[in-house]
Amino acid sequence: MLSEKLCKAFNAQINAELWSAYLYLSMSMDAAARGQKGIANWFKVQFQEEQAHAEILMNHVLARGNEVKLAPIDAVQTEWKTALDAFKDTLVHEKKVTSLITALYELALEEKDYAAQNMLKWFIDEQVEEEESAQEIIDQLDAVEGNKYGLLMIDKDLATRTYTVPSPLNKGE
Ligand code: MG
């Protein structure tokens, strides 16, 4: 079983992942409203990934014999001026999530919970990718700054992103 302290922290992280999902769904709807279908697709996939992150954590809590307690999800921003603004907010948000995951891992170390530590290592690697991909898109958008054709090309490229089930959800089902 997870310790009471760790279980509480896992439940808080589940809420944070679901809030992330809601944030990216909002960014997707906002991009769609701007007519940027590819960017809307990228954020929609991001929304699906965040739901998967919550599911991985929920599965772990249940597997350890603890209970998942779903809390209300706070409101999210609904409008961004430009796609670049949305991706800049994405990077800021992912850096915050990285610090939450790190704090959760540190708690698992304190509690000497080796199973939780192993599971959280996947999230630590995942956060490196999350920050890297947001930064890459920011760099691309910065490079074309204000150029409509360049923005169209980036939108076409981001339209190709597809959702793949993360590896922790793929085994033992
Ligand atoms: Mg996440």
Side-chain angles (χ1 to χ4, degrees), residues 71-138:
I73 299 166
D74 288 341
V76 291
Q77 191 174 326
T78 54
E79 262 176 68
W80 286 264
K81 232 174 172 179
T82 63
L84 180 58
D85 287 340
F87 280 104
K88 280 181 177 168
D89 279 2
T90 297
L91 182 60
V92 169
H93 178 63
E94 287 305 331
K95 284 183 175 173
K96 195 185 146 207
V97 174
T98 299
S99 68
L100 292 176
I101 294 290
T102 305
L104 193 54
Y105 186 78
E106 280 168 1
L107 184 61
L109 286 176
E110 269 173 42
E111 302 283 298
K112 298 194 190 333
D113 190 321
Y114 302 106
Q117 287 168 33
N118 271 348
M119 203 275 307
L120 288 169
K121 277 176 190 158
W122 183 86
F123 279 90
I124 292 169
D125 291 340
E126 177 70 9
Q127 283 311 119
V128 175
E129 278 179 38
E130 295 281 28
E131 289 187 28
E132 187 186 19
S133 60
Q135 185 63 63
E136 266 176 27
I137 299 167
I138 288 169

Side-chain angles (χ1 to χ4, degrees), residues 5-25:
K5 208 171 163 187
L6 201 48
C7 181
K8 214 176 151 194
F10 262 79
N11 272 294
Q13 190 60 36
I14 289 163
N15 186 265
E17 298 295 341
L18 291 172
W19 189 85
S20 298
Y22 203 40
L23 174 70
Y24 293 132
L25 183 60

